[in-house]
Amino acid sequence: MADGEGDFPLAEPGLWVERIGSRSFPAGLPALFLDRDGTINVDTGYPDDPAAMVLRDGIAPVIEAANRQGIPVVVITNQSGIARGYFGWDAFARVNQRVLDLLAEKNAAVDMVLACAYHEAGSGPLAVTDHPMRKPNPGMLLEAGRRLGLDLERSLIVGDKPADMEAGERASLTRGWLVDGEASTMGGLAVASLRGARDLDGLLAAIRLL
């Protein structure tokens, strides 16, 4: 397979599912779901350079709070750049590892990473319109929920796009935080803004109450 795909944790050609670390969790816990680009790290467009990765301010303490609470932290990221041929899973792996390393330097750890490469503008097996794993569809959250035995209704989601919030709502989550966005209601999901220190404090408080 191209780019040594046989060495990567691909559940299918366009779906990366990687369990990080060795921490075990009892069934029935909520999770903290986070988008990656634009939420954990500064968005660089189609990220293929590990050296360009910089964490967003305030995100490491959020992940660390979930770690301390014993709550699984799950990254769910669309990666259409792979489908479009801009880079391969090998570049994704290097960039993602750099993001995880930067978090580790701040005592913050991720427990699972899911990435969806399917996109209608892709080629070959990745050329899929409206794939169930691609946000705003809820497939990645549902897959993580199945693998980790999560209570999705009690879980939280943080993202920088309405598609992240919609995916959360469609997976039966009830609370989300939109980076640099506005507070709103999306179906059964209450969306809070994540802009400044007060918003960050609200998210940290919600995590501590899980």
Side-chain angles (χ1 to χ4, degrees):
M1 287 185 280
D3 300 325
E5 289 177 4
D7 299 328
F8 299 139
L10 297 181
E12 53 187 86
L15 180 65
W16 175 290
V17 183
E18 182 179 12
R19 184 72 164 84
I20 309 293
S22 58
R23 284 178 294 183
S24 60
F25 301 96
L29 290 177
L32 173 65
F33 288 99
L34 302 108
D35 174 53
R36 196 190 73 183
D37 305 319
T39 300
I40 297 177
N41 54 275
V42 175
D43 197 348
T44 60
Y46 293 100
D48 61 355
D49 181 6
M53 294 299 102
V54 177
L55 296 181
R56 285 185 60 99
D57 292 340
I59 198 63
V62 169
I63 294 173
E64 185 185 13
N67 296 156
R68 288 198 305 268
Q69 195 71 12
I71 299 302
V73 176
V74 180
V75 172
I76 48 168
T77 175
N78 287 344
Q79 293 292 323
S80 72
I82 297 172
R84 297 170 190 268
Y86 298 158
F87 55 89
W89 284 118
D90 54 344
F92 169 81
R94 290 192 295 270
V95 167
N96 199 65
Q97 188 59 54
R98 177 58 178 161
V99 172
L100 297 179
D101 290 345
L102 289 170
L103 287 171
E105 292 173 6
K106 303 288 187 180
N107 297 313
V110 168
D111 299 293
M112 181 173 281
V113 175
L114 296 93
C116 177
Y118 295 110
H119 193 273
E120 60 186 6
S123 60
L126 301 185
V128 180
T129 300
D130 198 32
H131 193 281
M133 291 293 171
R134 180 174 171 79
K135 296 178 292 184
N137 293 322
M140 285 191 284
L141 290 91
L142 299 176
E143 181 69 13
R146 182 184 67 81
R147 289 177 179 248
L148 295 175
L150 300 174
D151 182 343
L152 291 176
E153 288 187 10
R154 293 172 53 220
S155 297
L156 312 178
I157 186 166
V158 184
D160 68 322
K161 294 181 175 63
D164 299 315
M165 301 297 103
E166 182 177 342
E169 193 275 333
R170 293 171 65 183
S172 299
L173 277 65
T174 59
R175 289 182 293 174
W177 279 258
L178 184 59
V179 174
D180 295 332
E182 302 295 336
S184 65
T185 301
M186 181 179 292
L189 184 79
V191 178
S193 174
L194 187 56
R195 291 179 180 270
R198 180 175 298 180
D199 298 332
L200 180 60
D201 287 344
L203 173 55
L204 290 170
I207 292 170
R208 295 181 187 120
L209 290 173
L210 288 175

